[in-house]
Structures are given as structure tokens and as C-alpha cells.
Amino acid sequence: MTTNFNLNNITRPVIKALKPYSSARDEFQGNSDAMVFLDANENPYENGVNRYPDPQQRNVKGLLSEIKGVSTKNILLGNGSDEVLDLIFRAFCEPNQDNVITLPPTYGMYSVLANINAIEIQEIQLDAHFQPKVDAILETVNEKSKLLFLCSPNNPTGNSFEAASISKLIDNFKGIVVIDEAYIDFSNEESWVSRLAEFPNLIVTQTLSKAYGMAGIRLGICYASEAIISVLNRLKPPYNVNELTQQKAIVQLQNKELTAQQIKSILEERSLLIEALKKVDYVSEIYPSDANFILAKVDDATKRYNQLIEKGIVIRNRTTQPGCENTLRFTVGRPDENKILIETLKSI
Ligand SMILES: *Cc1c(COP(=O)(O)O)cnc(C)c1O
């Protein structure tokens, strides 16, 4: 059990004192067609988007609740995970005072958001197997450490963190542990969403941008205790998820077979791509992946990256990331795209 976690103590005073904006749709939520809505200064002529969207996105949350087995009270939605992460910073980290822990090599947005919000970053590099150094992390944290970011499966390395390490960190960290599960739907590991009730200091973020095929609509998901969700709801912009995004998400979330089929195909293609990469003579290491991308070490990442660009193939050069010298990150594409990639890799 997590000891000494007190949400009230780690919430910023300005957020506790805040009187949240109350929108017309917050104050009255009617859903009868017979009602006359003259409360929000909207244009009354129907075109599909002339009304403000549901500020609490009840229909989208209802579907997510069913799919993920979580109460809607434990869900907050944002304009991409990026907005969700920014809300978490602004709720819990006092500028020029608090710090957050990140474990490089990892997703770049944690440090960008920390910089934007004037929050110090304590970096503890992952070990040689890209696993968290649990003891080193717990020795580094201090009373100003508010957030610990665990990206699992991790971007750009592709591996999941060991469950025992994650639970030890949640148990012993006095701030909030944010597990970024952007790639969880490609993994066989169980989501930490199922364990929210055990950990009052846990936030799990997911997204519709990867496995669900909706990077363009910008929908990020935050799962946490009701108490944490209430804090975040105080500061979120009232209409942060637009009507078109909500409509599109509802259609796609109902089409469970399509998503399952696409994930299956991506995983099959990932295996084929790994086999093909093993046969490329300048590839020296292929890292295990629980995600829809593969990190591989080559002889000269920048040279290979440029050669692929010349052939019209764009991948990600990760050579400047700590522990990732001469690595390239390949997103798994459609079978036709992967075929072109493999042929090109062999030819250069
Ligand atoms: C792609 C990705 C996201 C998704 O961010 P969105 O803003 O929801 O598109 C989040 N975290 C990680 C680690 C990612 O790689």
C-alpha cells in the first residue's frame, strides 16, 4: 500500500482556491429535442456543430468505460495525451519550486511540458536493458518531486517495464506516478488501469492516436482515482474535446472488430519486419518491442537515415537519445509499405 500519499498536500494552492468556470452546458444538461436552448449564445440553425459539445463527453466515456472496464468517474478526456499531461503538470507542480522525474531515453513531451511549466527535471537513465533503476530513482526523489513518468511500453525503446519495478515505485513514491500506456494495446502486458483502486497516487494515460487509428482527432485519456479526476476537471478548459472528435471517437470505438483486426495485422507485420531486419548486415541489434515500432542498432544511424530519406522513406533517427547511439526507430506500416522498407534496407 502507498504510504503518506495525500492528494490535498500535492495539489497546487492556486488550483485548490480556483473557482472553476461554469459553462452553460455544465449548469443545465438537457437532452430532450423538445427543449429550447437559449443559454449559450449559439447560432440556433442546425448544421451538426452549431451547439457546444458535451463538456464531460459522456458518450465517449461510456464506451471507454465498457471497453476498459473502468467507471466513467475514473476517466478524464483531453485534446490528445499532450493536453492531459499538461493538465497534470499544472494541477500538481508549482513553477520554479517542484520537480518531476523522467527516465530517458523516453517520450520527449514530459521534458518539454516541464520546461514550459518551469518545473525542474530529474533524469535517471534506464539501465542497459531499458528498465528503470528503481533504487536510484527512490534515492533521487525529494519532497519537491511531484510526478514520476513511467512510459510502458516505452517510446523509443519499445519494451515494457517489469511489473514488480512499477509497483515498487508506486508504493514508495510520495508524489503521483504517471504510467503512459500509449502503446498498451499492442502489448500482452496487463494495463495498470485495472489496478487504480489499489493505488491512490496512480494516473494511467492512454490515447486513441496509436492502436485506435485516430491520431488526427486528438483524443487522450486519463484514468485515475475519482479524487484526482476531480482536481483535473477543475482546470480543464470546459469544451476541450470538440464535437467532431467525440462523434468520430464514438463510431470508431464501437467498431471493435476493425481495431482488433488492425492490431493483429500490425503485430504480424512487426514479426516479419524483425525477421527481415535480422538479415540486414549493418543491423547489429534489434530491441524487443511491445509496441507498433521497432528500435534497431545499426553501423551509422545518421548515414542510414539519410540514405532512406533519399529513397523517400521517413523513419526516426534516435541516435542522440541517451543509451540509443546509432539506433533507428521503425514504425510498423501496412504490408506494402513494410515491403518497400525491407527492399530498400537491403539495397542500401
Ligand atoms: C504517441 C505517444 C503519445 C500520444 O500522444 P497524443 O497526444 O495522444 O497523440 C503519448 N505518449 C507516448 C509515449 C507516445 O509515444
Side-chain angles (χ1 to χ4, degrees):
M1 242 334 262
T2 308
T3 47
N4 299 332
F5 178 74
N6 183 329
L7 184 62
N8 197 47
N9 287 350
I10 81 147
T11 304
R12 287 173 64 206
V14 286
I15 301 300
K16 285 190 276 193
L18 182 72
K19 186 178 177 297
Y21 176 74
S22 180
S23 72
R25 288 299 123 78
D26 279 325
E27 286 171 20
F28 185 82
Q29 299 177 346
N31 43 17
S32 159
D33 289 341
M35 305 211 74
V36 176
F37 286 108
L38 302 175
D39 57 347
N41 300 346
E42 296 150 331
N43 179 322
Y45 298 101
E46 190 60 49
N47 63 10
V49 288
N50 60 311
R51 298 291 176 186
Y52 280 101
D54 175 3
Q56 281 300 323
Q57 310 98 15
R58 285 164 295 171
N59 295 334
V60 182
K61 285 182 187 170
L63 278 166
L64 284 168
S65 162
E66 232 174 75
I67 294 168
K68 301 284 176 178
V70 192
S71 161
T72 56
K73 296 192 181 104
N74 298 110
I75 304 177
L76 175 131
L77 302 181
N79 183 25
S81 311
D82 295 342
E83 184 185 35
V84 167
L85 294 169
D86 188 51
L87 290 174
I88 296 169
F89 267 97
R90 287 188 289 138
F92 303 115
C93 300
E94 198 59 41
N96 299 309
Q97 197 172 307
D98 290 332
N99 68 72
V100 298
I101 319 286
T102 68
L103 315 181
T106 193
Y107 186 47
M109 275 310 283
Y110 315 137
S111 59
V112 171
L113 288 168
N115 289 334
I116 290 171
N117 288 290
I119 305 301
E120 188 194 332
I121 306 160
Q122 314 247 29
E123 296 187 319
I124 298 139
Q125 201 177 323
L126 295 171
D127 73 13
H129 302 287
F130 297 135
Q131 290 292 327
K133 294 175 190 159
V134 175
D135 294 334
I137 294 166
L138 293 175
E139 278 161 27
T140 304
V141 302
N142 58 35
E143 69 287 354
K144 298 288 182 199
S145 304
K146 295 298 181 73
L147 305 173
L148 164 59
F149 289 95
L150 303 178
C151 185
S152 181
N154 186 39
N155 178 6
T157 60
N159 63 298
S160 300
F161 296 162
E162 283 163 17
S165 302
I166 295 180
S167 64
K168 186 167 178 192
L169 288 168
I170 309 173
D171 275 337
N172 291 284
F173 184 59
K174 306 275 188 293
I176 291 178
V177 174
V178 180
I179 306 184
D180 184 340
E181 292 189 338
Y183 299 97
I184 192 70
D185 297 291
F186 299 108
S187 164
N188 291 324
E189 298 287 316
E190 197 177 346
S191 167
W192 287 82
V193 164
S194 63
R195 303 189 58 183
L196 284 176
E198 287 170 60
F199 303 112
N201 63 332
L202 174 61
I203 290 178
V204 179
T205 62
Q206 295 183 356
T207 177
L208 297 192
S209 298
K210 306 287 157 62
Y212 284 89
M214 289 184 280
I217 70 170
R218 313 303 303 127
L219 195 89
I221 311 155
C222 172
Y223 300 97
S225 71
E226 265 188 77
I228 291 177
I229 296 294
S230 317
V231 172
L232 297 175
N233 264 320
R234 294 169 69 78
L235 68 153
K236 92 168 179 64
Y239 303 113
N240 63 328
V241 179
N242 73 71
E243 179 63 28
L244 297 176
T245 291
Q246 294 190 41
Q247 286 177 12
K248 188 80 183 169
I250 288 163
V251 171
Q252 190 89 347
L253 288 171
Q254 283 169 332
N255 201 344
K256 297 189 182 84
E257 270 166 41
L258 177 72
T259 305
Q261 166 54 42
Q262 290 179 349
I263 292 172
K264 186 164 170 276
S265 163
I266 290 166
L267 294 181
E268 283 165 9
E269 285 293 310
R270 185 180 73 190
S271 303
L272 294 178
L273 209 47
I274 289 171
E275 288 314 306
L277 283 168
K278 282 182 186 163
K279 293 184 193 129
V280 176
D281 57 14
Y282 53 83
V283 173
S284 55
E285 188 159 7
I286 301 158
Y287 298 92
S289 174
D290 264 344
N292 64 333
F293 57 83
I294 300 160
L295 188 75
K297 196 184 261 304
V298 297
D299 55 349
D300 182 341
T302 303
K303 173 177 137 189
R304 300 301 176 186
Y305 174 83
N306 288 329
Q307 285 176 317
L308 287 172
I309 290 279
E310 272 169 36
K311 304 275 185 184
I313 299 176
V314 189
I315 56 158
R316 205 88 203 268
N317 183 357
R318 298 285 76 190
T319 193
T320 58
Q321 299 294 299
C324 293
E325 296 73 28
N326 282 318
T327 62
L328 298 172
R329 192 192 70 193
F330 302 90
T331 303
V332 180
R334 293 188 309 262
D336 58 309
E337 296 175 313
N338 302 329
K339 205 159 159 258
I340 295 172
L341 171 67
I342 292 164
E343 278 164 14
T344 309
L345 284 170
K346 285 179 182 159
S347 75
I348 59 179

